[in-house]
Every structure is written in structure tokens, then in C-alpha cells.
Amino acid sequence: MQKTKKVISRRSFTKLSTKAVASIPLMGFGNTLYPTAPKYKNEIEVSIFSKHLQFLDYSGMASAAAEIGFDGLDLTVRPKGHVLPERVADDLPKAVEAIKKNGMKPKMMTTNVWGVTDLTNKMVLETASNLGFTHYRTGWLKYPKDKTISESQAAYGRQAKELESMNRDLGLIGCYQNHAGNHVGAPIWDLPPILEATNNEYLGVQYDIRHAVVEGGSSWELGLRQIKPFIKSIVIKDFKWGKVNEKWKPINTPLGEGMVDFNKYFSLLKTYKINVPVSLHFEYDLGGAEHGNRKITISKEEVFKRMKNDLNFLRETWRQAP
């Protein structure tokens, strides 16, 4: 057992955080948030996935993100998102104005864009490019049952090449998220044959460690080695296995309470010199905010506090990772 380095756990981190804030005046939102953790020179920048703030308008979303301590937002620009694709020309500038007013810059967004022929998709990307965004998540893909996986990979590779060409013209980087289940990219190993059709410049992967561990178990490190040249952004969240209605399923948890070994993961990111935009997700119970609900069943102050706990845990664990 290694004794030279103290590894932080969620339980010990929470105890330390509670003691640290006991004598410090709390800030904003009815004085319910933990104070912002201090920034370090090697601090990673973290954006919040705006899906979890969809119970707020643009102004409330941006001010909450800034006061909780995030560096930016990963804005949902998709059906049922903060910005609807068909209204992107009118509404995305409004969202960006709120983001800038709160001292942040537009950088990340999550879309359902894949392919270059859909006019609405083009409008989403063109508008985002003009407003200063740099990275976006694409839509997901599935393997048709009437084709072999190899045939589908070849077809998706051609589409990826076309999408990258459009991204290059717009100065945007598209990121395909690996997602557990029967999605393309769930096993990680099937993505390189698709992405190798591109120049690996304006299209790559949004690497999701939670989904990688769900599908890869203890072999997730091999998948990371395989996909690391293509990683353009990353998602942070946690889970554990448990029984739901007598069936084993992944159960989402706050960071540090699940199965993701963040100390090991962050150490590998540092070793591989992967320095890309980071989006923090909250998929566990937040009174409906975890699902992007417009109305939530717990106080927004409680939602913000839980978000702050995860953000502080992420940053502290990053600092301690060798």
C-alpha cells in the first residue's frame, strides 16, 4: 500500500470543506453556497453543463455558474436545450451576452449536430462560430442492423471527414461523446477507425470517463491509451453499480462516491499532457435538474451547494494527482 501520498476521498474532502467554511461568511444565493476554492497556476478550467441549469433563464444560468465558481458553461443548443436550434440566430446571442456579462467567454456547447446537409445544423454552427465558440459536442450515432459494423464505420468515417471540413471553415472543433449502451463509441475501440478518416484537427472525441468505466470496467485505461490522440474535450461525472428493481444498473453519484478512480484518471491526463476543455455533469438526484427539467423539486440553493461540492472535489483531486 502506498504511503507516500495522501489520496483524497469524498468523505474526508466533505469533512474538510465543512470545517473550512464554518467560520467564513457565505456568498450569494441567500448565503447558501460554499465559498469559491482558491485558483492555482496549474488549475484546470471547468465549465458546467447547462442542462443542469435549465430551470433558470440565460441571466440566472450565467450568474449562477459564475458565482458557484465555474469558468464557463457548456451550453445546450439542441432540442429541449437552453437554446433551441430553430431559434439559434435570435437566442444564442442573448445567452452569450449573459455569459460575457458574468465575466466568462463562450467556448463549449452541446448539440445534436452530425452531418453537413441539414440547414438548421449549419445555422447552429455558423452562429456559434460568429459568437466565439470553439468546441461543440456532436449528436450520437447508432449501428444500423442491416449493415455490418465495419460498413457503418466506413460510412461514418466519410461523414466525419465532411463534418471536419466544415468545422475547419468555421474554426470549430466537433467532439463525439463516448456513451454507454448500444451507441457508436460505447466500447471506445470502435471510434479510431471512424476518426482516422479525418485529419484529427477539427473533429475528435469528448471523452467521458463515467461511460468509459461503465463499459470498460478495469480496462478503461487501455481504452484511454487507444483514444487519447483524438480527445478534444472531456466530461466529468461518477457512478456505481447497484440493483434497481432487481436488475443491476449504473447508479449516478456525486464525484468521489462512485467507481471512477479520479486520482488515477487525472494522473494519466497529466502524463499524456491532455489539456482540453472540461465539462462537469451532475446526473445524480438534483430535484429534476439532473434531467434538465424546467421546474425543480428542491431549492435552487441546495442544487448550487451540491454542484459546488463536486466542483471543489474535482479541483482538489486534480491538484493532488501526481
Side-chain angles (χ1 to χ4, degrees):
M1 182 173 64
Q2 187 178 4
K3 296 183 179 180
T4 58
K5 186 169 184 66
K6 184 177 179 180
V7 177
I8 194 168
S9 68
R10 178 78 184 202
R11 181 175 297 177
S12 61
F13 174 79
T14 302
K15 288 181 179 178
L16 289 172
S17 296
T18 302
K19 290 179 181 179
V21 302
S23 60
I24 302 176
L26 299 181
M27 64 181 215
F29 301 114
N31 292 332
T32 57
L33 292 183
Y34 291 122
T36 302
K39 294 288 187 69
Y40 290 72
K41 287 185 177 180
N42 65 343
E43 186 72 85
I44 56 172
E45 292 190 358
V46 183
S47 294
I48 180 174
F49 189 26
S50 86
K51 166 185 172 181
H52 309 304
L53 295 174
Q54 287 184 176
F55 58 92
L56 299 171
D57 61 15
Y58 298 146
S59 178
M61 163 198 77
S63 62
E67 192 152 0
I68 292 170
F70 287 97
D71 301 290
L73 285 121
D74 177 1
L75 187 65
T76 52
V77 186
R78 61 182 183 181
K80 299 182 180 181
H82 254 127
V83 176
L84 301 179
E86 63 271 20
R87 289 193 51 82
V88 69
D90 293 325
D91 290 351
L92 190 56
K94 298 174 184 176
V96 169
E97 182 182 5
I99 290 170
K100 289 182 175 180
K101 187 177 292 185
N102 284 274
M104 300 174 289
K105 295 180 180 180
K107 177 182 288 187
M108 303 180 73
M109 66 176 184
T110 292
T111 74
N112 65 338
V113 171
W114 183 267
V116 299
T117 58
D118 186 275
L119 294 180
T120 301
N121 285 349
K122 285 185 177 181
M123 180 62 72
V124 166
L125 297 187
E126 288 172 358
T127 305
S129 174
N130 290 334
L131 290 169
F133 285 85
T134 59
H135 293 70
Y136 72 94
R137 192 175 89 191
T138 69
W140 292 313
L141 303 171
K142 285 187 175 292
Y143 289 115
K145 293 184 179 180
D146 60 346
K147 294 182 180 180
T148 67
I149 288 179
S150 295
E151 289 173 338
S152 295
Q153 286 175 318
Y156 290 142
R158 291 190 292 270
Q159 294 171 11
K161 185 176 182 179
E162 293 174 348
L163 183 56
E164 185 187 44
S165 179
M166 184 166 68
N167 290 342
R168 181 185 296 107
D169 293 340
L170 295 172
L172 293 171
I173 297 175
C175 309
Y176 183 89
Q177 181 194 20
N178 59 292
H179 196 290
N182 287 319
H183 298 279
V184 172
I188 291 292
W189 297 85
D190 63 336
L191 282 176
I194 296 172
L195 296 173
E196 284 166 359
T198 73
N199 291 322
N200 191 22
E201 293 177 347
Y202 293 90
L203 188 69
V205 170
Q206 183 173 87
Y207 183 77
D208 189 315
I209 183 61
R210 182 264 192 202
H211 290 297
V213 175
V214 168
E215 294 291 351
S218 59
S219 71
W220 66 267
E221 292 182 49
L222 298 179
L224 179 60
R225 281 177 57 191
Q226 179 78 357
I227 204 64
K228 65 183 175 67
F230 300 99
I231 295 176
K232 307 299 184 188
S233 62
I234 62 175
V235 166
I236 301 294
K237 52 191 173 188
D238 205 351
F239 85 102
K240 63 184 178 182
W241 286 99
K243 277 193 172 182
V244 179
N245 297 326
E246 300 303 315
K247 292 184 179 181
W248 287 98
K249 293 184 177 181
I251 298 174
N252 297 305
T253 70
L255 300 189
E257 294 184 9
M259 299 179 65
V260 175
D261 185 346
F262 285 105
N263 290 281
K264 180 66 174 178
Y265 176 48
F266 290 163
S267 178
L268 288 172
L269 290 180
K270 291 180 179 181
T271 298
Y272 295 148
K273 295 180 171 57
I274 295 175
N275 182 20
V276 296
V278 178
S279 179
L280 179 56
H281 290 208
F282 305 89
E283 304 291 348
Y284 56 89
D285 183 18
L286 286 179
E290 71 276 17
H291 301 304
N293 291 357
R294 304 290 177 173
K295 295 183 179 180
I296 56 176
T297 59
I298 61 177
S299 71
K300 64 181 182 180
E301 290 79 15
E302 179 62 25
V303 172
F304 299 151
K305 185 172 73 172
R306 296 179 191 180
M307 289 176 170
K308 184 65 182 178
N309 283 340
D310 272 12
L311 179 60
N312 282 349
F313 178 87
L314 190 166
R315 286 189 168 134
E316 183 61 29
T317 308
W318 176 266
R319 295 181 194 121
Q320 293 199 16

